[in-house]
Amino acid sequence: MPELPDLERFRTYLNATALHETVKRVRVPDTRVLENVSAPELDRSLRNREMETVDRHGKFLFVRCQDGKRRGGIDLALHFGMTGELAYYKDDESAPEHPRVVFDLASGYCLAYDCPRMLGRVRLVKDRDAFLRAHEVGPDAMEIGEGAFREGLGRYRGGLKSFLMDQSRQAGIGNVYADEILFHARLSPKAKAMRLSRAEARRLYRSMRRVLSLASERKGRRERFPRTWITPRRRRDDPQCPRGCGSVQVGRVNGRTTYWCPGCQEH
DNA sequence: AGTACCACCTGACGGC
DNA sequence: TGCCGTCAGGTGGTAC
């Protein structure tokens, strides 16, 4: 489930592979992932452009595509839904299984946007900030300051889990990392955001930063997460709290599968 | 301003 | 074997 740390992995990956390469052609094996552009338009817009820079904001990846002869660049905006990823390869036999958009590069390599469950989206964006505003995407979760974070919390009438996952407050946190952050902060997913003390709000902010940055370092690979984390307990029968206080609860909070330890996550 | 619920999607998995 | 239901999950729409 691509969340901020996974998006960081994709950013690093693209940086190390297709960056500075020129698009020769864009193929779209499945047009359903295209949002505001047709397949021919996408091809026409990106052909002969160089993938110049790649940035992440929340769960979006923006690839700046530039053409020396044409004025102005354009951003390719990738969202990975729940199962998307990138693949860079030369031979067709190493192609991924569900390529939905494939960028053929001048070097002979391909960059594929692979998205088995089709929940991701590919778009062209002229003005990144306007796009983020239009889609109500707030500051990136690794960029937002403690003050702004606490202010958002104080005004939010719902529970902590839905607050953390609300992309308009801070962008990048999904279902899995929301649980991990709350576990670290020792706060219940159902606790009311507005009711947190200053110290609790600070704890939540620090947990968010610690979890997201360590997870990004570990490339979002769950098998590399510390054993003290709750994420590796997901999808196990009878998951136990890493702090040794007994069974982890599995239930639904705001309609999402939620793992938490009632023993150490108060409220 | 939240929440609840559905739709979009497909692969994996359990039950029969 | 193979069919069916259910689940996973991010986003976005609608009703309340």
Side-chain angles (χ1 to χ4, degrees):
Chain A
M1 308 85 240
E3 304 182 32
L4 190 149
D6 309 283
L7 268 286
E8 270 301 291
R9 181 176 77 247
F10 300 154
R11 188 184 64 78
T12 314
Y13 181 75
L14 205 154
N15 230 328
T17 55
L19 206 72
H20 304 308
E21 292 204 35
T22 300
V23 177
K24 245 180 76 183
R25 185 165 72 116
V26 185
R27 288 178 282 137
V28 186
D30 198 317
T31 57
R32 286 177 294 174
V33 298
L34 298 183
E35 185 66 34
N36 64 347
V37 68
S38 69
E41 278 164 6
L42 186 67
D43 178 53
R44 191 164 1 101
S45 305
L46 295 184
R47 208 176 259 240
N48 299 322
R49 284 188 192 265
E50 179 191 328
M51 294 186 170
E52 199 185 43
T53 53
V54 55
D55 300 288
R56 182 192 59 73
H57 187 113
K59 298 177 191 171
F60 285 97
L61 215 59
F62 293 104
V63 186
R64 187 78 178 156
C65 297
Q66 197 69 257
D67 178 344
K69 294 176 210 123
R70 281 187 275 186
R71 269 176 300 147
I74 194 157
D75 275 319
L76 174 67
L78 305 175
H79 192 286
F80 294 86
M82 123 183 207
T83 51
E85 56 182 327
L86 295 174
Y88 181 79
Y89 57 93
K90 191 160 197 169
D91 309 311
D92 277 349
E93 59 238 47
S94 29
E97 278 188 65
H98 310 278
R100 309 305 188 192
V101 181
V102 183
F103 305 92
D104 291 340
L105 305 167
S107 61
Y109 277 80
C110 302
L111 180 72
Y113 170 85
D114 184 81
C115 195
R117 294 190 194 174
M118 307 280 298
L119 292 173
R121 288 296 175 261
V122 174
R123 319 165 148 83
L124 283 182
V125 168
K126 289 202 183 79
D127 182 337
R128 213 182 275 194
D129 292 334
F131 168 76
L132 292 172
R133 268 197 307 278
H135 289 265
E136 295 182 284
V137 180
D140 186 80
M142 283 306 288
E143 299 291 328
I144 191 170
E146 189 183 332
F149 179 81
R150 285 217 312 260
E151 203 175 301
L153 262 175
R155 280 188 279 108
Y156 194 83
R157 298 168 166 301
L160 286 184
K161 175 148 179 170
S162 62
F163 172 77
L164 286 174
M165 290 178 64
D166 187 336
Q167 303 300 301
S168 70
R169 315 283 156 163
Q170 57 279 314
I173 300 168
N175 195 38
V176 171
Y177 287 98
D179 284 2
E180 190 63 57
I181 291 164
L182 288 163
F183 177 71
H184 283 239
R186 299 178 184 247
L187 292 165
S188 161
K190 295 174 179 169
K192 291 286 174 213
M194 297 182 84
R195 302 261 285 272
L196 289 201
S197 69
R198 194 186 164 94
E200 288 168 328
R202 184 177 180 79
R203 224 160 70 213
L204 186 60
Y205 178 75
R206 300 201 149 202
S207 299
M208 174 178 80
R209 294 197 57 95
R210 191 168 354 106
V211 166
L212 294 179
S213 61
L214 185 65
S216 298
E217 253 176 59
R218 307 275 163 102
K219 309 282 179 205
R221 303 285 188 206
R222 293 188 193 182
E223 65 279 8
R224 296 189 204 157
F225 289 179
R227 280 190 302 250
T228 54
W229 285 27
I230 200 171
T231 301
R233 264 78 176 173
R234 291 183 94 86
R235 311 276 253 138
R236 297 258 182 93
D237 344 320
D238 191 26
Q240 296 293 306
C241 172
R243 298 189 182 108
C245 33
S247 287
V248 162
Q249 285 278 320
V250 186
R252 299 215 144 231
V253 177
N254 296 344
R256 317 305 303 274
T257 307
T258 301
Y259 288 68
W260 81 103
C261 170
C264 51
Q265 292 173 260
E266 309 266 338
H267 253 57

